[in-house]
Amino acid sequence: MVKGVTFAMKMQVLYVQKKEGVQDNPEIIATKIARDYKCKSDKIPPAYPCEKERLVILCFEHYGSLDKRLLAFCQDLSTDRASNVALIIMNKDGSDAVPEQLAAIFKQNGVAVAGVCGLAVKKGLFSAGKLTDANIKAASDFADAKITALFDSVG
């Protein structure tokens, strides 16, 4: 895998931002992946909609109910906007199960789930836990595998 080399990739890395101006765990991971592959990274909903993307990587925390903006974005995601989605989910136990609501939306819209990466990030009483270097490496390795599988020009 050749990181840092510009490829003609139709891909975006999107994240759910809880508080404006505060860099949360999903944004840290999304920024790292976007920097490595020189692609667009943005919060959900993005400033510009996805158009004919081969891969959209969604980074979000799942400690109960899903964010309403994430659900609304996914409902609008169709095969015209994105062929595949990959999910990086931060939760208490590192489960990589696709939340039922999202699975139903993707199935209904015909968007393929290219893969899921679950990261165990313990949440404190008043705040989310911090990502470890191992979490960031696992997310980056997951993105590497998905990008390599979906893009012929990489590697």
Side-chain angles (χ1 to χ4, degrees), residues 7-8 14-16 19-20 25 28 42 45 52 56-57 66 69 71 73 76 84-85 99 110 112 126 133 135 141 150:
F7 297 106
L14 304 174
Y15 59 90
V16 174
K19 293 180 186 173
E20 192 71 36
N25 292 335
I28 292 168
D42 200 356
K52 296 185 172 125
V56 174
I57 298 176
L66 291 168
R69 294 168 297 184
L71 291 172
F73 172 78
D76 191 43
N84 301 280
V85 294
F126 297 107
D133 290 341
N135 290 136
D141 290 347
L150 291 170

Side-chain angles (χ1 to χ4, degrees), residues 9-106:
M9 286 199 230
K10 290 292 289 172
M11 114 177 208
Q12 288 190 37
V13 185
L14 304 174
Y15 59 90
V16 174
Q17 184 180 39
K18 296 280 185 194
K19 293 180 186 173
E20 192 71 36
V22 177
Q23 190 176 35
D24 289 328
N25 292 335
E27 184 178 359
I28 292 168
I29 289 176
T31 303
K32 163 112 176 72
I33 295 168
R35 230 182 259 138
D36 286 348
Y37 293 99
K38 297 190 184 328
C39 66
K40 185 177 172 217
S41 173
D42 200 356
K43 65 184 177 184
I44 294 174
Y48 299 98
C50 300
E51 289 299 327
K52 296 185 172 125
E53 307 291 343
R54 187 177 289 179
L55 176 64
V56 174
I57 298 176
L58 301 175
C59 304
F60 61 95
E61 293 177 334
H62 183 47
Y63 296 103
S65 62
L66 291 168
D67 189 278
K68 291 176 187 168
R69 294 168 297 184
L70 175 66
L71 291 172
F73 172 78
C74 290
Q75 286 170 340
D76 191 43
L77 208 56
S78 66
T79 53
D80 291 336
R81 295 187 182 272
S83 306
N84 301 280
V85 294
L87 308 175
I88 298 176
I89 306 171
M90 283 141 272
N91 53 40
K92 63 182 176 194
D93 60 0
S95 167
D96 62 357
V98 179
E100 288 181 29
Q101 285 176 291
L102 288 182
I105 291 170
F106 294 141

